[in-house]
Amino acid sequence: MDLHAVSDDLQKDCYRKSEQCGWLHLVGVTMAAMSIGLLGGHIISDRVSGWLAIGGSTAVGLGLWRGRHAQMANWRSRFARRRALLADSLAYDSAESETLDITTDILERTHLNDGALNRRYYSSLQAVGPERLRENLIESAIWTEKLFKVGQRVFFNRTVVALATALVLAMATIFFRAGTLDYTSVIQLFSVALVFVVSADQFDASAKWGWAAQEAMRLRLVATAVDVSKPEAMPQLWAAFTDYAVVTTVAPPVPRYMFDANRGALDVLSHAWLRVPMTKDEKK
């Protein structure tokens, strides 16, 4: 069984749930805005406005729920990827059984029998051993660092937009209701509060990506400086690998479009960093 194929399957599930989360949040915020704006323009009744607000709140809540499921799939995917790294670097015999322990309840049986990938996953040309582990860790840290920096920037911008939207909706609700507090205004304010929750969730993701990117850069530099020919340096390498596991566990999942948009550039960067020539398939 190819552990990278297992991790890819889990990551696809994570991508799907993350995309659903994003669309549900967008639908929820849009319905909340329509509930307040259309009522203020006397286009819809209080009853319709209330149902729009309830629908928007439900969509946001479902989005938050799908986001938590995406995070769980992401954790398992990264666990499988780290075990694959150990198996590739040190021929770690228990990698497959440990991965199956946490994935058999969610992966379909056909996924567990996937063959080997057609392309070399890691760039290192070193033989199995500590030096290969060091280079694989450096390459993984490069990808983590750069992708998380992109995620931090994108989600910070989204957070600013979401917060601005929530403030505008709250002010519009207060203005249009003219100080009255009835059923419709309560529902509208509740939907606005959920927009603030989404904003806080995105701000949390942005902050975690920022921290994880900094840690990944530190681990890359630490692993680069390690001389595996010296036995006393091995604890430092293992500490870096352990820290990398923490970094990838804490950070939220990276959206698929970010990965696809940066994959080519990161392939070139990781090969250049390790001074490893790219194959013809990797250059495509």
Side-chain angles (χ1 to χ4, degrees), residues 226-243:
V226 169
D227 184 357
V228 296
S229 64
K230 300 177 180 179
E232 62 272 18
M234 286 306 298
Q236 191 175 16
L237 179 61
W238 281 113
F241 178 81
T242 304
D243 289 346

Side-chain angles (χ1 to χ4, degrees), residues 191-214:
S191 64
V192 171
L194 285 180
V195 177
F196 278 104
V197 172
V198 172
S199 302
D201 192 62
Q202 291 183 341
F203 181 78
D204 180 66
S206 178
K208 286 178 178 177
W209 272 328
W211 170 82
Q214 291 296 321

Side-chain angles (χ1 to χ4, degrees), residues 17 23 32 50 58 81 87 96 103 138 229 232 267 272:
K17 292 174 179 175
W23 280 110
T58 302
R81 192 76 73 192
E96 183 173 318
T103 58
I138 291 173
S229 64
E232 62 272 18
D267 255 334

Side-chain angles (χ1 to χ4, degrees), residues 16-265:
R16 179 173 57 83
K17 292 174 179 175
S18 295
E19 290 171 357
Q20 291 173 354
C21 172
W23 280 110
L24 284 168
H25 284 166
L26 179 61
V27 169
V29 172
T30 301
M31 292 180 71
M34 291 175 61
S35 168
I36 297 171
L38 295 179
L39 180 63
H42 304 289
I43 299 174
I44 59 177
S45 65
D46 281 9
R47 183 181 180 86
V48 174
S49 176
W51 280 113
L52 273 176
I54 290 174
S57 301
T58 302
V60 171
L62 287 174
L64 292 171
W65 178 70
R66 294 304 285 173
R68 296 300 176 268
H69 280 263
Q71 182 68 73
M72 289 297 298
N74 187 55
W75 289 338
R76 296 186 181 195
S77 172
R78 288 175 175 170
F79 180 93
R81 192 76 73 192
R82 291 192 299 269
R83 286 299 182 269
L85 190 153
L86 287 178
D88 180 89
S89 304
L90 303 174
Y92 182 59
D93 294 335
S94 301
E96 183 173 318
S97 61
E98 290 174 357
T99 302
L100 288 177
D101 282 342
I102 68 163
T103 58
T104 48
D105 58 326
I106 55 175
L107 283 176
E108 296 178 4
R109 183 177 299 274
T110 53
H111 293 165
L112 303 181
N113 297 318
D114 283 338
L117 295 175
N118 293 326
R119 65 183 293 273
R120 186 175 75 244
Y121 189 84
Y122 295 107
S123 303
S124 177
L125 300 178
Q126 301 293 332
V128 171
E131 178 61 18
R132 184 172 179 84
L133 172 63
R134 187 185 73 87
E135 291 193 356
N136 286 346
L137 180 58
I138 291 173
E139 182 175 18
S140 298
I142 289 172
W143 282 70
T144 299
E145 175 193 349
K146 303 305 180 183
L147 287 175
F148 287 177
K149 282 183 177 179
V150 174
Q152 179 193 19
R153 183 176 65 254
V154 171
F155 266 61
F156 179 80
N157 294 336
R158 286 186 181 181
T159 302
V160 172
V161 172
L163 282 174
T165 301
L167 288 173
V168 170
L169 291 178
M171 293 173 63
T173 301
I174 296 172
F175 176 78
F176 290 135
R177 305 311 292 180
T180 61
L181 187 63
D182 54 15
Y183 171 79
T184 302
S185 60
V186 170
I187 294 298
Q188 288 177 340
L189 288 173
F190 179 74
S191 64
V192 171
L194 285 180
V195 177
F196 278 104
V197 172
V198 172
S199 302
D201 192 62
Q202 291 183 341
F203 181 78
D204 180 66
S206 178
K208 286 178 178 177
W209 272 328
W211 170 82
Q214 291 296 321
E215 283 297 296
M217 180 179 68
R218 180 184 67 82
L219 297 176
R220 169 172 58 83
L221 297 176
V222 168
T224 301
V226 169
D227 184 357
V228 296
S229 64
K230 300 177 180 179
E232 62 272 18
M234 286 306 298
Q236 191 175 16
L237 179 61
W238 281 113
F241 178 81
T242 304
D243 289 346
Y244 181 73
V246 174
V247 167
T248 55
T249 300
V250 171
V254 176
R256 184 179 184 86
Y257 73 88
M258 290 185 190
F259 175 81
D260 290 340
N262 294 276
R263 179 168 51 186

